[in-house]
Amino acid sequence: DYEEQMRIRWIRENAYFRWINEGYPDQQHVRHWREAVQEYQDLERTLGEAPWAAVRLERYRTFNRDQ
């Protein structure tokens, strides 16, 4: 479903940027993925909603405020 696709996309992008920020290390994809999943879960608990939804809502508010 849509929410699951967005969750996976958020985690995938987060893991990718972790890899880039660490200088493209070999054999660290599992660790990056696990760290991204943990961050997603932590943010979900803190925000009370999915992190991707919170970011999208904030972008919407910012866009409408600037218009």
Side-chain angles (χ1 to χ4, degrees):
D1 74 338
Y2 179 75
E3 289 190 14
E4 180 64 11
Q5 289 175 5
M6 293 303 291
R7 183 182 80 82
I8 296 298
R9 178 179 176 180
W10 190 97
I11 292 168
R12 183 184 306 118
E13 289 176 1
N14 185 291
Y16 174 72
F17 286 114
R18 288 172 184 275
W19 176 68
I20 290 171
N21 289 334
E22 288 185 14
Y24 315 100
D26 290 335
Q27 305 300 318
Q28 297 301 311
H29 57 282
V30 172
R31 179 176 59 84
H32 291 144
W33 187 268
R34 287 181 181 157
E35 290 172 354
V37 168
Q38 185 62 53
E39 183 177 353
Y40 185 93
Q41 292 170 341
D42 292 345
L43 284 170
E44 196 170 38
R45 275 192 296 277
T46 301
L47 298 171
E49 62 184 339
W52 61 264
V55 169
R56 189 169 63 180
L57 179 59
E58 185 57 34
R59 287 181 185 158
Y60 174 79
R61 288 179 181 153
T62 301
F63 176 78
N64 284 327
R65 183 181 63 227
D66 293 341
Q67 296 300 315

